[in-house]
Amino acid sequence: SQLLMQLINCQKELHIFSSWQVLLDSLVHTFAHHIGTFTALERTTAEELNKAFVCARDPTELPAGYLALKTFQYPICPLPANADIGYFDGVLSTPGITGYLLLIVICLLGWASSAKVRHARFRVFYQFHHFLVPAWVILLVLHGANGWVGLGFPLVILVAGIPIAAYTWTRSRRAYLAWFCPSTVLAAEKSLNGKLVRIEVQLSSGYRKCSVGEYAYINIPSISRFEWHPFTISNSKDDETGGQLITFCIMSVGRWTQKLKDACAGHAFPRVNIDDPFYAPTVSMPLHSTVVGIGAGVGVTPFLSFLGSLAASQVSQERQHAHVFWMSAWATDFLLFKDLFAQLETQGGNTKCHLHATPRWDGRGLGCLFDLASRDIWNDWVRRLAARSSETVPTFCHYPKPLHAVVSGSTLESETPLVIVVGRPDFVAELLAIGHADLREHVFVYCCGNDSLKEGIQTACVACNKHNESSGYMQRFYFYHERFG
């Protein structure tokens, strides 16, 4: 359903919201203990407290399944008749100490998850999560060890038992895969600028069939035995042994990905472990008639997976409109998937790839020379297109500020001229043109990129919806966003 898709689409925001909610609720909970529970301990006698505490009841009166953790109880329960319990006995009790430790754990997780720390020290972010999340669960169990109130069983198990079981299963499965089910890297190729690396991995028959747009976690033991990183599967096909050949396109932006690129530079490729393909928003792309995929840099990989499925089947013949926009600061990145473009060219159909080179325009990069060299060539090409038919002139030539492009003969193996646009697309103009090709169908727009790109495309979809509403059209533009950062 659309509601479920939107929930999956904003999973990161829900995760962040839940974390803030846990922190705020914990602070309120702690404050309530200080003004309520701990002050009540000081004003109440031990005999009265024993009557109120569940842990002080006769064993025959305890709730069914009562779990006694007397080893961790402080103060001991039931309280001695002559015990003098005060405010600081509550502060230094097992619930008090574990409560403060829980607050420290939550604050450390929040600090490590901040954008600044996550981008600069990803390994700190990664390790904090994998050590502190289990610690948080253990501390919550100990937090209720005194058994003053409640069911006599760790409430965290009842409330969060399913997520804890799923987390434990995931960690156990990855340990099993790392030791007993290694996969094989068959080929690796770098882009001309060295920023992107494309690797092909052979999976055994034990893995389920990969679907369009899914992602998998990769572990390279020679780099780090415990680090797993998510990457979108850009292509998948069956091999002769009954397994699968899957392709990843990875950008070297950090220490781990740089080491991966270096490890794949020679002829002896490293051992690799793969954790099952997982669902992503782009999985729903084949279900719709009119779809648009927009990726910046390595963010195009979910849509390359979609293109790969079209190249290997006849789906594109049944589809009315399928468009993929690929923006890259390095135009030579497009050469990394010449084989995929060749398959699409051979098959034909209604799939359209829009390649946009977005080099630097600050006067220091090669982008300025690229801009200057392409201007006259492209203007001449447009004049010739217009002379044949005005309908053959590309959409971006009609922008408020028209872009120009170069015509490449080396991107396709057939050497058919292919247009590479210089500059970013005008998404409102492009999406309206795609939608108006068939106003009976809704347009489903998928984006994989940074927050700036996301906001720009989301704004464009809103503008397109307002334009159609004012024009009396029923067509709507639906937006989905995918990212791992």
Side-chain angles (χ1 to χ4, degrees):
S1 66
Q2 288 297 325
L3 177 60
L4 180 61
M5 284 294 297
Q6 291 297 341
L7 287 174
I8 295 175
N9 197 35
C10 60
Q11 55 181 304
K12 180 180 177 181
E13 287 74 15
L14 289 174
H15 180 76
I16 295 173
F17 173 80
S18 300
S19 302
W20 277 108
Q21 194 66 40
V22 168
L23 176 59
L24 294 175
D25 289 346
S26 300
L27 292 173
V28 172
H29 181 80
T30 302
F31 179 71
H33 270 310
H34 277 276
I35 64 172
T37 307
F38 298 161
T39 55
L41 292 176
E42 193 171 31
R43 296 195 304 263
T44 311
T45 65
E47 183 180 357
E48 291 173 321
L49 290 173
N50 283 333
K51 290 180 180 179
F53 288 164
V54 173
C55 58
R57 295 179 186 175
D58 186 271
T60 59
E61 299 177 358
L62 293 175
Y66 181 83
L67 180 63
L69 299 174
K70 289 188 176 293
T71 304
F72 303 100
Q73 286 183 353
Y74 181 81
I76 192 169
C77 185
L79 298 170
N82 60 347
D84 184 16
I85 302 297
Y87 181 89
F88 286 100
D89 289 294
V91 173
L92 299 176
S93 65
T94 298
I97 295 298
T98 54
Y100 302 133
L101 291 175
L102 283 166
L103 280 175
I104 292 173
V105 166
I106 294 172
C107 291
L108 284 175
L109 285 171
W111 171 78
S113 302
S114 63
K116 183 178 180 180
V117 176
R118 191 172 70 249
H119 293 155
R121 304 175 184 176
F122 182 83
R123 184 163 291 184
V124 172
F125 160 77
Y126 186 89
Q127 291 176 345
F128 267 44
H129 266 68
H130 288 285
F131 285 110
L132 293 181
V133 169
W136 184 77
V137 174
I138 294 171
L139 286 171
L140 274 175
V141 173
L142 297 178
H143 189 60
N146 276 19
W148 288 346
V149 294
L151 306 174
F153 188 81
L155 192 59
V156 63
I157 304 299
L158 299 178
V159 175
I162 295 178
I164 291 171
Y167 182 88
T168 305
W169 161 255
T170 301
R171 296 294 163 261
S172 303
R173 173 178 170 77
R174 288 185 182 174
Y176 173 81
L177 291 171
W179 285 104
F180 300 108
C181 301
S183 300
T184 305
V185 177
L186 296 182
E189 179 184 1
K190 291 193 298 183
S191 61
L192 293 180
N193 60 35
K195 292 288 187 180
L196 296 181
V197 59
R198 170 181 172 174
I199 61 173
E200 291 189 0
V201 180
Q202 184 179 37
L203 298 182
S204 64
S205 57
Y207 287 85
R208 70 172 178 83
K209 176 68 177 176
C210 298
S211 300
V212 171
E214 289 185 321
Y215 68 94
Y217 282 86
I218 299 179
N219 167 254
I220 311 289
S222 60
I223 299 176
S224 174
R225 183 170 294 277
F226 302 105
E227 282 191 46
W228 294 76
H229 294 267
F231 296 100
T232 301
I233 300 170
S234 59
N235 200 7
S236 172
K237 58 185 177 182
D238 298 330
D239 64 5
E240 301 81 6
T241 63
Q244 301 176 75
L245 290 176
I246 60 175
T247 304
F248 296 97
C249 184
I250 300 170
M251 176 178 286
S252 57
V253 292
R255 181 168 57 178
W256 191 92
T257 50
Q258 181 63 43
K259 288 183 177 180
L260 171 61
K261 185 186 75 170
D262 295 340
C264 294
H267 297 289
F269 301 126
R271 167 181 164 173
V272 59
N273 302 315
I274 304 294
D275 192 5
D276 260 351
F278 296 95
Y279 181 88
T282 46
V283 170
S284 63
M285 287 186 76
L287 304 178
H288 305 300
S289 178
T290 304
V291 292
V292 181
I294 302 170
V298 76
V300 77
T301 48
F303 315 119
L304 293 179
S305 175
F306 173 65
L307 293 177
S309 70
L310 297 184
S313 67
Q314 295 301 315
V315 177
S316 63
Q317 301 297 334
E318 304 167 4
R319 188 174 306 281
Q320 293 179 343
H321 302 286
H323 296 256
V324 172
F325 289 80
W326 184 1
M327 294 171 287
S328 176
W330 303 88
T332 51
D333 287 350
F334 303 138
L335 300 176
L336 200 57
F337 287 89
K338 289 177 64 173
D339 56 339
L340 177 58
F341 295 146
Q343 285 180 284
L344 291 169
E345 182 187 23
T346 302
Q347 187 196 38
N350 298 322
T351 303
K352 294 180 175 61
C353 295
H354 307 256
L355 305 181
H356 285 252
T358 54
R360 295 173 60 174
W361 307 107
D362 58 3
R364 293 178 294 176
L366 293 177
C368 293
L369 294 177
F370 187 40
D371 179 23
L372 185 63
S374 63
R375 191 180 301 272
D376 293 336
I377 299 173
W378 177 248
N379 288 337
D380 180 62
W381 180 270
V382 170
R383 282 194 295 269
R384 283 186 283 160
L385 289 176
R388 298 177 192 172
S389 171
S390 59
E391 295 182 357
T392 62
V393 178
T395 305
F396 58 85
C397 290
H398 303 297
Y399 288 176
K401 183 180 179 181
L403 300 180
H404 47 282
V406 293
V407 182
S408 170
S410 59
T411 305
L412 297 177
E413 292 181 353
S414 64
E415 298 186 354
T416 302
L418 180 69
V419 171
I420 298 178
V421 187
V422 182
R424 296 173 65 89
D426 181 337
F427 288 112
V428 174
E430 294 286 1
L431 293 177
L432 285 176
I434 292 169
H436 288 177
D438 189 347
L439 291 170
R440 299 169 300 174
E441 297 287 344
H442 295 309
V443 180
F444 296 84
V445 182
Y446 297 78
C447 164
C448 186
N450 56 35
D451 289 337
S452 175
L453 179 65
K454 169 196 170 184
E455 292 171 4
I457 299 172
Q458 196 168 19
T459 301
C461 288
V462 172
C464 291
N465 283 330
K466 290 181 178 179
H467 177 275
N468 281 355
E469 287 177 6
S470 63
S471 302
Y473 302 140
M474 298 298 294
Q475 182 186 69
R476 293 294 177 266
F477 292 79
Y478 295 94
F479 174 77
Y480 302 100
H481 181 225
E482 175 180 330
R483 78 281 202 228
F484 300 115

PDB file of all heavy atoms in Angstrom, residues 322-343:
ATOM      1  N   ALA A 322       9.500   4.730 -18.986  1.00  0.00           N
ATOM      2  CA  ALA A 322      10.495   4.478 -17.941  1.00  0.00           C
ATOM      3  C   ALA A 322      11.698   5.369 -18.223  1.00  0.00           C
ATOM      4  O   ALA A 322      12.329   5.253 -19.277  1.00  0.00           O
ATOM      5  CB  ALA A 322      10.899   3.007 -17.922  1.00  0.00           C
ATOM      6  N   HIS A 323      11.999   6.268 -17.293  1.00  0.00           N
ATOM      7  CA  HIS A 323      13.092   7.230 -17.474  1.00  0.00           C
ATOM      8  C   HIS A 323      14.070   7.111 -16.314  1.00  0.00           C
ATOM      9  O   HIS A 323      13.657   7.003 -15.156  1.00  0.00           O
ATOM     10  CB  HIS A 323      12.549   8.664 -17.523  1.00  0.00           C
ATOM     11  CG  HIS A 323      11.652   8.928 -18.690  1.00  0.00           C
ATOM     12  ND1 HIS A 323      12.058   9.633 -19.798  1.00  0.00           N
ATOM     13  CD2 HIS A 323      10.354   8.574 -18.917  1.00  0.00           C
ATOM     14  CE1 HIS A 323      11.051   9.700 -20.655  1.00  0.00           C
ATOM     15  NE2 HIS A 323      10.014   9.070 -20.145  1.00  0.00           N
ATOM     16  N   VAL A 324      15.360   7.142 -16.614  1.00  0.00           N
ATOM     17  CA  VAL A 324      16.404   7.136 -15.584  1.00  0.00           C
ATOM     18  C   VAL A 324      17.336   8.313 -15.836  1.00  0.00           C
ATOM     19  O   VAL A 324      17.906   8.443 -16.932  1.00  0.00           O
ATOM     20  CB  VAL A 324      17.195   5.817 -15.585  1.00  0.00           C
ATOM     21  CG1 VAL A 324      18.390   5.920 -14.641  1.00  0.00           C
ATOM     22  CG2 VAL A 324      16.298   4.656 -15.162  1.00  0.00           C
ATOM     23  N   PHE A 325      17.471   9.186 -14.834  1.00  0.00           N
ATOM     24  CA  PHE A 325      18.399  10.324 -14.893  1.00  0.00           C
ATOM     25  C   PHE A 325      19.643   9.958 -14.080  1.00  0.00           C
ATOM     26  O   PHE A 325      19.537   9.581 -12.907  1.00  0.00           O
ATOM     27  CB  PHE A 325      17.759  11.584 -14.295  1.00  0.00           C
ATOM     28  CG  PHE A 325      16.667  12.179 -15.143  1.00  0.00           C
ATOM     29  CD1 PHE A 325      15.383  11.653 -15.125  1.00  0.00           C
ATOM     30  CD2 PHE A 325      16.929  13.274 -15.960  1.00  0.00           C
ATOM     31  CE1 PHE A 325      14.374  12.206 -15.900  1.00  0.00           C
ATOM     32  CE2 PHE A 325      15.925  13.831 -16.736  1.00  0.00           C
ATOM     33  CZ  PHE A 325      14.649  13.293 -16.706  1.00  0.00           C
ATOM     34  N   TRP A 326      20.804  10.106 -14.710  1.00  0.00           N
ATOM     35  CA  TRP A 326      22.066   9.849 -14.021  1.00  0.00           C
ATOM     36  C   TRP A 326      22.911  11.111 -14.109  1.00  0.00           C
ATOM     37  O   TRP A 326      23.280  11.546 -15.195  1.00  0.00           O
ATOM     38  CB  TRP A 326      22.792   8.665 -14.650  1.00  0.00           C
ATOM     39  CG  TRP A 326      24.067   8.277 -13.938  1.00  0.00           C
ATOM     40  CD1 TRP A 326      24.601   8.854 -12.829  1.00  0.00           C
ATOM     41  CD2 TRP A 326      24.965   7.218 -14.297  1.00  0.00           C
ATOM     42  NE1 TRP A 326      25.767   8.224 -12.458  1.00  0.00           N
ATOM     43  CE2 TRP A 326      26.014   7.216 -13.349  1.00  0.00           C
ATOM     44  CE3 TRP A 326      24.981   6.280 -15.323  1.00  0.00           C
ATOM     45  CZ2 TRP A 326      27.062   6.310 -13.405  1.00  0.00           C
ATOM     46  CZ3 TRP A 326      26.025   5.375 -15.370  1.00  0.00           C
ATOM     47  CH2 TRP A 326      27.056   5.395 -14.419  1.00  0.00           C
ATOM     48  N   MET A 327      23.202  11.711 -12.930  1.00  0.00           N
ATOM     49  CA  MET A 327      24.040  12.906 -12.865  1.00  0.00           C
ATOM     50  C   MET A 327      25.380  12.542 -12.241  1.00  0.00           C
ATOM     51  O   MET A 327      25.430  11.875 -11.209  1.00  0.00           O
ATOM     52  CB  MET A 327      23.348  13.988 -12.025  1.00  0.00           C
ATOM     53  CG  MET A 327      22.078  14.523 -12.648  1.00  0.00           C
ATOM     54  SD  MET A 327      21.188  15.590 -11.486  1.00  0.00           S
ATOM     55  CE  MET A 327      20.558  14.362 -10.354  1.00  0.00           C
ATOM     56  N   SER A 328      26.461  12.986 -12.855  1.00  0.00           N
ATOM     57  CA  SER A 328      27.790  12.699 -12.326  1.00  0.00           C
ATOM     58  C   SER A 328      28.722  13.859 -12.639  1.00  0.00           C
ATOM     59  O   SER A 328      28.674  14.433 -13.734  1.00  0.00           O
ATOM     60  CB  SER A 328      28.350  11.410 -12.929  1.00  0.00           C
ATOM     61  OG  SER A 328      29.672  11.183 -12.471  1.00  0.00           O
ATOM     62  N   ALA A 329      29.567  14.187 -11.667  1.00  0.00           N
ATOM     63  CA  ALA A 329      30.552  15.239 -11.893  1.00  0.00           C
ATOM     64  C   ALA A 329      31.639  14.777 -12.855  1.00  0.00           C
ATOM     65  O   ALA A 329      32.367  15.599 -13.418  1.00  0.00           O
ATOM     66  CB  ALA A 329      31.175  15.662 -10.561  1.00  0.00           C
ATOM     67  N   TRP A 330      31.745  13.475 -13.049  1.00  0.00           N
ATOM     68  CA  TRP A 330      32.763  12.904 -13.934  1.00  0.00           C
ATOM     69  C   TRP A 330      32.062  12.180 -15.073  1.00  0.00           C
ATOM     70  O   TRP A 330      31.493  11.100 -14.883  1.00  0.00           O
ATOM     71  CB  TRP A 330      33.658  11.940 -13.164  1.00  0.00           C
ATOM     72  CG  TRP A 330      34.331  12.570 -11.992  1.00  0.00           C
ATOM     73  CD1 TRP A 330      33.839  12.671 -10.726  1.00  0.00           C
ATOM     74  CD2 TRP A 330      35.603  13.218 -11.982  1.00  0.00           C
ATOM     75  NE1 TRP A 330      34.718  13.327  -9.919  1.00  0.00           N
ATOM     76  CE2 TRP A 330      35.825  13.675 -10.660  1.00  0.00           C
ATOM     77  CE3 TRP A 330      36.587  13.452 -12.942  1.00  0.00           C
ATOM     78  CZ2 TRP A 330      36.977  14.355 -10.281  1.00  0.00           C
ATOM     79  CZ3 TRP A 330      37.731  14.113 -12.566  1.00  0.00           C
ATOM     80  CH2 TRP A 330      37.921  14.561 -11.255  1.00  0.00           C
ATOM     81  N   ALA A 331      32.097  12.747 -16.263  1.00  0.00           N
ATOM     82  CA  ALA A 331      31.393  12.177 -17.407  1.00  0.00           C
ATOM     83  C   ALA A 331      31.918  10.790 -17.769  1.00  0.00           C
ATOM     84  O   ALA A 331      31.189   9.971 -18.337  1.00  0.00           O
ATOM     85  CB  ALA A 331      31.508  13.113 -18.615  1.00  0.00           C
ATOM     86  N   THR A 332      33.171  10.492 -17.439  1.00  0.00           N
ATOM     87  CA  THR A 332      33.729   9.187 -17.784  1.00  0.00           C
ATOM     88  C   THR A 332      33.128   8.064 -16.941  1.00  0.00           C
ATOM     89  O   THR A 332      33.317   6.884 -17.269  1.00  0.00           O
ATOM     90  CB  THR A 332      35.258   9.198 -17.589  1.00  0.00           C
ATOM     91  OG1 THR A 332      35.560   9.703 -16.277  1.00  0.00           O
ATOM     92  CG2 THR A 332      35.923  10.081 -18.634  1.00  0.00           C
ATOM     93  N   ASP A 333      32.407   8.402 -15.859  1.00  0.00           N
ATOM     94  CA  ASP A 333      31.749   7.356 -15.066  1.00  0.00           C
ATOM     95  C   ASP A 333      30.725   6.594 -15.899  1.00  0.00           C
ATOM     96  O   ASP A 333      30.454   5.412 -15.639  1.00  0.00           O
ATOM     97  CB  ASP A 333      31.051   7.969 -13.846  1.00  0.00           C
ATOM     98  CG  ASP A 333      32.042   8.417 -12.788  1.00  0.00           C
ATOM     99  OD1 ASP A 333      33.237   8.080 -12.910  1.00  0.00           O
ATOM    100  OD2 ASP A 333      31.621   9.105 -11.835  1.00  0.00           O
ATOM    101  N   PHE A 334      30.163   7.249 -16.906  1.00  0.00           N
ATOM    102  CA  PHE A 334      29.143   6.598 -17.726  1.00  0.00           C
ATOM    103  C   PHE A 334      29.714   5.396 -18.486  1.00  0.00           C
ATOM    104  O   PHE A 334      28.975   4.482 -18.848  1.00  0.00           O
ATOM    105  CB  PHE A 334      28.542   7.597 -18.719  1.00  0.00           C
ATOM    106  CG  PHE A 334      27.942   8.822 -18.064  1.00  0.00           C
ATOM    107  CD1 PHE A 334      28.143  10.085 -18.607  1.00  0.00           C
ATOM    108  CD2 PHE A 334      27.192   8.720 -16.913  1.00  0.00           C
ATOM    109  CE1 PHE A 334      27.613  11.213 -18.012  1.00  0.00           C
ATOM    110  CE2 PHE A 334      26.648   9.854 -16.297  1.00  0.00           C
ATOM    111  CZ  PHE A 334      26.860  11.093 -16.848  1.00  0.00           C
ATOM    112  N   LEU A 335      31.024   5.404 -18.712  1.00  0.00           N
ATOM    113  CA  LEU A 335      31.646   4.313 -19.467  1.00  0.00           C
ATOM    114  C   LEU A 335      31.702   3.019 -18.670  1.00  0.00           C
ATOM    115  O   LEU A 335      31.914   1.946 -19.239  1.00  0.00           O
ATOM    116  CB  LEU A 335      33.073   4.711 -19.887  1.00  0.00           C
ATOM    117  CG  LEU A 335      33.204   5.943 -20.784  1.00  0.00           C
ATOM    118  CD1 LEU A 335      34.677   6.260 -21.015  1.00  0.00           C
ATOM    119  CD2 LEU A 335      32.501   5.707 -22.115  1.00  0.00           C
ATOM    120  N   LEU A 336      31.517   3.104 -17.354  1.00  0.00           N
ATOM    121  CA  LEU A 336      31.630   1.926 -16.503  1.00  0.00           C
ATOM    122  C   LEU A 336      30.516   0.919 -16.783  1.00  0.00           C
ATOM    123  O   LEU A 336      30.660  -0.263 -16.468  1.00  0.00           O
ATOM    124  CB  LEU A 336      31.608   2.356 -15.035  1.00  0.00           C
ATOM    125  CG  LEU A 336      32.160   1.385 -13.990  1.00  0.00           C
ATOM    126  CD1 LEU A 336      33.605   1.019 -14.297  1.00  0.00           C
ATOM    127  CD2 LEU A 336      32.055   1.974 -12.596  1.00  0.00           C
ATOM    128  N   PHE A 337      29.412   1.383 -17.366  1.00  0.00           N
ATOM    129  CA  PHE A 337      28.284   0.484 -17.636  1.00  0.00           C
ATOM    130  C   PHE A 337      27.943   0.472 -19.125  1.00  0.00           C
ATOM    131  O   PHE A 337      26.770   0.476 -19.511  1.00  0.00           O
ATOM    132  CB  PHE A 337      27.071   0.874 -16.783  1.00  0.00           C
ATOM    133  CG  PHE A 337      27.233   0.518 -15.333  1.00  0.00           C
ATOM    134  CD1 PHE A 337      27.807   1.408 -14.444  1.00  0.00           C
ATOM    135  CD2 PHE A 337      26.848  -0.726 -14.861  1.00  0.00           C
ATOM    136  CE1 PHE A 337      27.975   1.078 -13.114  1.00  0.00           C
ATOM    137  CE2 PHE A 337      27.013  -1.068 -13.529  1.00  0.00           C
ATOM    138  CZ  PHE A 337      27.580  -0.162 -12.654  1.00  0.00           C
ATOM    139  N   LYS A 338      28.969   0.458 -19.955  1.00  0.00           N
ATOM    140  CA  LYS A 338      28.760   0.383 -21.400  1.00  0.00           C
ATOM    141  C   LYS A 338      27.996  -0.882 -21.784  1.00  0.00           C
ATOM    142  O   LYS A 338      27.159  -0.859 -22.690  1.00  0.00           O
ATOM    143  CB  LYS A 338      30.105   0.409 -22.140  1.00  0.00           C
ATOM    144  CG  LYS A 338      30.811   1.752 -22.109  1.00  0.00           C
ATOM    145  CD  LYS A 338      32.155   1.703 -22.796  1.00  0.00           C
ATOM    146  CE  LYS A 338      32.008   1.386 -24.285  1.00  0.00           C
ATOM    147  NZ  LYS A 338      33.304   1.513 -24.990  1.00  0.00           N
ATOM    148  N   ASP A 339      28.284  -2.002 -21.109  1.00  0.00           N
ATOM    149  CA  ASP A 339      27.622  -3.256 -21.454  1.00  0.00           C
ATOM    150  C   ASP A 339      26.121  -3.180 -21.195  1.00  0.00           C
ATOM    151  O   ASP A 339      25.314  -3.694 -21.985  1.00  0.00           O
ATOM    152  CB  ASP A 339      28.231  -4.414 -20.679  1.00  0.00           C
ATOM    153  CG  ASP A 339      28.200  -4.196 -19.162  1.00  0.00           C
ATOM    154  OD1 ASP A 339      28.080  -3.030 -18.732  1.00  0.00           O
ATOM    155  OD2 ASP A 339      28.302  -5.186 -18.419  1.00  0.00           O
ATOM    156  N   LEU A 340      25.719  -2.528 -20.099  1.00  0.00           N
ATOM    157  CA  LEU A 340      24.299  -2.391 -19.796  1.00  0.00           C
ATOM    158  C   LEU A 340      23.612  -1.496 -20.818  1.00  0.00           C
ATOM    159  O   LEU A 340      22.511  -1.817 -21.306  1.00  0.00           O
ATOM    160  CB  LEU A 340      24.132  -1.817 -18.386  1.00  0.00           C
ATOM    161  CG  LEU A 340      22.700  -1.547 -17.920  1.00  0.00           C
ATOM    162  CD1 LEU A 340      21.870  -2.814 -17.969  1.00  0.00           C
ATOM    163  CD2 LEU A 340      22.703  -0.960 -16.509  1.00  0.00           C
ATOM    164  N   PHE A 341      24.244  -0.379 -21.175  1.00  0.00           N
ATOM    165  CA  PHE A 341      23.672   0.501 -22.199  1.00  0.00           C
ATOM    166  C   PHE A 341      23.558  -0.218 -23.540  1.00  0.00           C
ATOM    167  O   PHE A 341      22.591  -0.007 -24.287  1.00  0.00           O
ATOM    168  CB  PHE A 341      24.522   1.767 -22.336  1.00  0.00           C
ATOM    169  CG  PHE A 341      24.532   2.644 -21.120  1.00  0.00           C
ATOM    170  CD1 PHE A 341      25.655   3.370 -20.768  1.00  0.00           C
ATOM    171  CD2 PHE A 341      23.417   2.742 -20.300  1.00  0.00           C
ATOM    172  CE1 PHE A 341      25.680   4.180 -19.642  1.00  0.00           C
ATOM    173  CE2 PHE A 341      23.421   3.540 -19.172  1.00  0.00           C
ATOM    174  CZ  PHE A 341      24.555   4.260 -18.840  1.00  0.00           C
ATOM    175  N   ALA A 342      24.532  -1.065 -23.842  1.00  0.00           N
ATOM    176  CA  ALA A 342      24.490  -1.817 -25.100  1.00  0.00           C
ATOM    177  C   ALA A 342      23.304  -2.779 -25.117  1.00  0.00           C
ATOM    178  O   ALA A 342      22.627  -2.939 -26.153  1.00  0.00           O
ATOM    179  CB  ALA A 342      25.798  -2.571 -25.303  1.00  0.00           C
ATOM    180  N   GLN A 343      23.030  -3.436 -23.985  1.00  0.00           N
ATOM    181  CA  GLN A 343      21.883  -4.345 -23.894  1.00  0.00           C
ATOM    182  C   GLN A 343      20.575  -3.589 -24.104  1.00  0.00           C
ATOM    183  O   GLN A 343      19.682  -4.052 -24.831  1.00  0.00           O
ATOM    184  CB  GLN A 343      21.860  -5.029 -22.530  1.00  0.00           C
ATOM    185  CG  GLN A 343      22.892  -6.116 -22.346  1.00  0.00           C
ATOM    186  CD  GLN A 343      22.801  -6.732 -20.968  1.00  0.00           C
ATOM    187  OE1 GLN A 343      23.233  -6.149 -19.978  1.00  0.00           O
ATOM    188  NE2 GLN A 343      22.233  -7.919 -20.896  1.00  0.00           N
TER     189      GLN A 343
END
